[in-house]
Amino acid sequence: MPTSGEARKVNVSESSFAEIAASPDQNSVAITRVDESGSRDVWIWDLVRESLGRRSFGGAYGTPIWSSDGQSIFYQSEQNATAEIWRTASNRSPIAEFITSTPFSRIDLKMIPPSGDLIVYSENTPTGGIYTFDLSNTNSENVHEPLINPPGFRVNLSRISLDGHWITYLSNETGERQLYVQSLPNIT
């Protein structure tokens, strides 16, 4: 991909798109595609081959994020009572692997720090917080650790720096929506 900073239209058929995430090598984009019936699935647009490939099947998937090495895509499913996290290979394989169920009904995946051993996500509810799940501990009993969770207050629109050292988020802890920036030395 050229890095001149110029916008380039991609040749994807018309559709509604939701979340997007560029791959670490900047050659692909993971997207949530919404069809006319409202069904949501994860697709990959290969910027080099100019091709679109589906990665989830079922209609209630979204918020794709890439693994640090670009070999996997993680996404959330809201098909069951609690939101789940799934992983699929980024190499056109349609086979997905279940990772964990969360204790929440709706979530948004945020990032995987450079170490590649955690996934950071937010609870998508009026009083939702931000949590981590340890991907390296396969013997874990699905422990979802609070990262930022002010009781009774909404934390949303969070973004984590590419190096995993900083997080920005909006919160209404003071009674008004305000922007916060916080260091995250413990998740890199």
Side-chain angles (χ1 to χ4, degrees), residues 111-173:
M111 68 138 348
I112 296 173
S115 64
D117 60 354
L118 291 174
I119 193 162
V120 179
Y121 68 92
S122 64
E123 176 190 5
N124 190 353
T125 65
T127 58
I130 300 171
Y131 297 82
T132 63
F133 178 76
D134 187 346
L135 292 167
S136 66
N137 186 359
T138 56
N139 296 325
S140 166
E141 294 183 12
N142 292 335
V143 176
H144 298 264
E145 294 289 336
L147 183 62
I148 299 172
N149 190 21
F153 299 104
R154 169 91 181 194
V155 174
N156 65 351
L157 300 177
S158 61
R159 297 292 181 263
I160 297 175
S161 63
L162 292 176
D163 64 7
H165 292 292
W166 297 94
I167 185 168
T168 61
Y169 61 94
L170 292 179
S171 178
N172 63 353
E173 325 179 17

Side-chain angles (χ1 to χ4, degrees), residues 23-24 28-30 42-46 49 53-57 64-67 69-75 86-99:
S23 64
S28 299
V29 178
V42 174
W43 294 69
I44 301 288
W45 176 255
D46 185 316
R49 293 185 183 105
R54 193 174 187 168
R55 294 299 185 277
S56 71
F57 300 85
I65 59 172
W66 294 82
S67 60
D69 63 7
Q71 299 301 305
S72 299
I73 298 162
F74 291 81
Y75 56 90
W86 289 75
R87 171 178 38 208
T88 190
S90 61
N91 67 358
R92 300 183 178 266
S93 170
I95 299 170
E97 172 190 9
F98 171 78
I99 301 300

